[in-house]
Each structure stands twice: as C-alpha cells, then as structure tokens.
C-alpha cells in the first residue's frame, strides 16, 4: 500500500484527488494539508510514502516545504504539482529535493502512474520532460562557453555512462537498449550511482549533471 499525503490549499482539488486515488487498491490517502507548514508537520507524523505537493500555498510554499521535508531526512518522496506558467518554480522545487512533477490538469491515470513511479524509487516522472525543463532554464546553469566537466571521480566507467544517459533524460529501458544491458541491471547501477553521489533519485542526478556542467543544455 502506497501512503499518500495531499498538500494543496484548494479544498475542492484535494477532494477530487482523494476521490479518484481512493479507488486504487494500492493507494491510501492518509491526510490532507492546506499549506506547506501543515505538509511538513503531517509528513513527520503520518510518514507518507509520497507527498503530492502544490507549489503555491499560504504560510509556507511548496518549495520551502519540500526543502524542509528533505532536510529532515524523511524518506517521503515529493511529487510536485504545477501549471504551465510556473515552470521556474518547478526548477526550484527539483533543486530543493522534489522527485518529480506533474501538470495540475494531468489525467487521473497519469497522476496515479506518477505516484507509483515515485513510490517505487524510480522517482523522476517523465525524465525527458524533466530534462527539457532544465534546458529551458539554461540561465541557471554554467555558461555554455565553459568546457563540460568530467563525471565525478569514484564512479566506474559503466556508472559514468549511465550518469550521462540519465542526465539526457533517458529511462532505464532506454538506457538498457543503448548500452545493451537488462533493465534490472541498469536499475542496480542507478542505485549505486545515487549512493556514491549522495543523491535521492534520478531527478537529482539530472539537476546535478547540468549544474556541474557534466552535460550542457541541448547536448
């Protein structure tokens, strides 16, 4: 059973989310928070697996709430909800430790699938979309005139290959196909990579790779 906390200041939206999530046999809505401060407190007391986090909320916004939840050491994964005109906030949320994001008007099936992906530890929802988002905000990243950095020391050659593949927004299945590996083997390498880089999930790998210059926007 995947335990989900809903964090949104709009009661009707929370009601709608609860209605269709509760129909899934493997999902349980354990609580509802009306602002970021409540989301932080309820994550601590209810220990959800996934927090469905709106960005714009009173008292404490979703970005700062995400930052505090991650900093607390909570294993909860944060799935950010946004709208098309708030992409800059999504970038900040990913840097704060969010595991992925969805557009608010996504289909219920997409939201349910996103929660399951995040809860399973694969974490990044639609990696290619995440990559395009980061590329859009190239002004946050190192100058294109600066040579790309080498992958961090301590990684095996295979882990370095996989790091670059993740940074380009490829899924485990795509990575396996490119490198002639099984999807299960790729997942093992991804897990080791996260441990060595001290990162939560592949969304953070993408941010790390772009911000350190390992991969350039458009590369």
């Amino acid at each position: 059973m995947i335990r989900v906390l809903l964090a949104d200041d709009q009661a009707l939206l929370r009601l709608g989310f609860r209605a269709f999530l509760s129909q899934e046999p493997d999902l349980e809505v354990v609580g509802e928070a009306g602002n970021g401060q409540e989301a932080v407190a309820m994550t601590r007391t209810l220990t959800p697996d996934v927090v469905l986090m709106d960005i714009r909320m009173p008292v404490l916004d979703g970005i700062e709430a995400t930052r505090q939840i991650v900093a607390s050491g909570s294993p909860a994964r944060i799935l950010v909800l946004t709208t098309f005109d708030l992409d800059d906030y999504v970038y900040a949320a990913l840097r704060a430790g969010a595991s992925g994001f969805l557009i608010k008007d996504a289909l219920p099936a997409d939201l349910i699938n996103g929660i399951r992906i995040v809860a399973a530890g694969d974490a990044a929802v639609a990696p290619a979309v995440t990559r395009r988002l980061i590329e859009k905000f190239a002004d946050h990243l190192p100058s294109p005139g600066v040579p790309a950095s080498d992958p961090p020391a301590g990684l095996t050659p295979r882990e370095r290959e996989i790091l670059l593949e993740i940074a380009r927004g490829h899924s485990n299945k795509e990575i396996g196909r490119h490198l002639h590996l099984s999807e299960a083997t790729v997942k093992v390498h991804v897990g080791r990579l996260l441990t060595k880089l001290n990162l939560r999930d592949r969304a953070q790998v993408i941010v790390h790779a772009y911000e350190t210059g390992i991969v350039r926007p458009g590369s």
Side-chain angles (χ1 to χ4, degrees), residues 147-151 212-216:
S149 302
D150 292 329
T212 58
I214 295 170
V215 173
R216 294 292 173 194

Side-chain angles (χ1 to χ4, degrees), residues 3 16 51 75 87 91 99 102 133 136 148 186 191:
R3 296 163 54 81
V51 180
D87 282 348
Y91 180 81
S99 295
L102 286 174
L133 173 69
K136 178 177 178 179
V186 172

Side-chain angles (χ1 to χ4, degrees), residues 36 53-57 60-67 78 93:
M53 181 80 76
D54 186 24
I55 288 182
R56 302 186 76 175
M57 293 187 291
L60 192 69
D61 64 34
I63 296 171
E64 183 55 31
T66 295
R67 186 176 293 113
I78 314 298

